Amino acid sequence: MENFHGFFTGSSTLAAAAALGHGGFHGGKGNGLSGLMDVPASLNVHGGVLSQNESFVDEIGNLARTETKSEKKKGDKKIRKPRHAFQTRSQVDILDDGYRWRKYGQKAVKNNKFPRSYYRCTHQGCNVKKQVQRLTEDEGMVVTTYEGTHSHTIQKSNDNFEHILSQMQIYTSSF
DNA sequence: CGACTTTGACCCGCGC
DNA sequence: GCGCGGGTCAAAGTCG
């Protein structure tokens, strides 16, 4: 699972945890979420928000889309950055992973009554994106999809996130 | 006043 | 070609 190299810089614990999930997540179109795998875990996020269930899915993105329009004119490659879906049971959409995110869009998605929010890492030169989406079937479930890899360290104090990680329990019996 | 959010418009790929 | 759906832009608004 080399794709998680550098993912969540400064917290190899989560990278290792994410490596547990080998999802058949067909990203992009259709009911991609149906391919998510559940990895029972317990976690406290944001100090007070309860999480009872989580799952990780990694995807080697192979969709035909370049990142920006400016690059698009010459970019003929169909290579896309790996995307990593992170499913969490939480009452809030925003999981504070230590990075600073700026919201740049929100769209209503089909087959889902909740909108999907698009965020970009505000660190200069870091074009990591993430999208946050709540499931219609279970509004307590939030899916966060990361795209790209952070090329810098976490700007905020790691303490909170490390605390979260320390409380994380990954059950590997399913794999 | 700077950083961030909101929101409608725009762009693009894809299926018909 | 057209319409639809997903993703992004950017101006205006909001907040600390």
Side-chain angles (χ1 to χ4, degrees):
Chain A
M1 203 48 62
E2 317 74 33
N3 295 313
F4 284 95
H5 173 70
F7 188 56
F8 281 123
T9 308
S11 125
S12 57
T13 311
L14 181 57
L20 294 171
H22 291 263
F25 180 31
H26 304 296
K29 302 286 183 186
N31 53 350
L33 295 179
S34 63
L36 288 172
M37 303 175 67
D38 285 338
V39 178
S42 58
L43 171 67
N44 270 325
V45 181
H46 260 249
V49 179
L50 295 177
S51 299
Q52 300 144 357
N53 240 309
E54 290 194 8
S55 65
F56 300 97
V57 172
D58 71 286
E59 177 196 358
I60 312 302
N62 214 6
L63 304 174
R65 193 164 218 290
T66 46
E67 8 206 62
T68 64
K69 290 172 184 165
S70 53
E71 285 186 34
K72 182 169 157 291
K73 50 189 175 191
K74 59 166 52 182
D76 222 5
K77 301 188 175 183
K78 310 248 182 234
I79 299 174
R80 202 183 189 186
K81 291 181 179 169
R83 298 209 299 183
H84 313 283
F86 181 102
Q87 183 170 326
T88 306
R89 177 171 288 282
S90 172
Q91 294 305 117
V92 295
D93 292 347
I94 311 301
L95 273 60
D96 192 347
D97 48 18
Y99 294 99
R100 299 187 60 193
W101 300 96
R102 182 179 69 252
K103 188 174 187 172
Y104 67 89
Q106 175 174 301
K107 287 289 286 188
V109 285
K110 201 132 202 221
N111 303 323
N112 197 333
K113 60 182 177 183
F114 301 103
R116 174 185 298 159
S117 298
Y118 299 89
Y119 299 87
R120 210 191 291 270
C121 183
T122 60
H123 191 275
Q124 191 173 23
C126 179
N127 54 358
V128 174
K129 286 174 277 192
K130 78 171 179 181
Q131 34 185 275
V132 178
Q133 176 178 8
R134 201 171 277 276
L135 297 185
T136 301
E137 316 90 63
D138 185 355
E139 61 183 69
M141 194 68 81
V142 174
V143 178
T144 304
T145 304
Y146 290 87
E147 182 172 339
T149 302
H150 291 286
S151 57
H152 57 95
T153 55
I154 294 176
Q155 296 177 337
K156 319 170 81 166
S157 159
N158 274 10
D159 294 347
N160 187 41
F161 192 51
E162 292 296 336
H163 179 65
I164 290 169
L165 287 169
S166 70
Q167 294 184 4
M168 245 172 115
Q169 298 174 32
I170 305 297
Y171 299 87
T172 60
S173 59
S174 300
F175 306 106

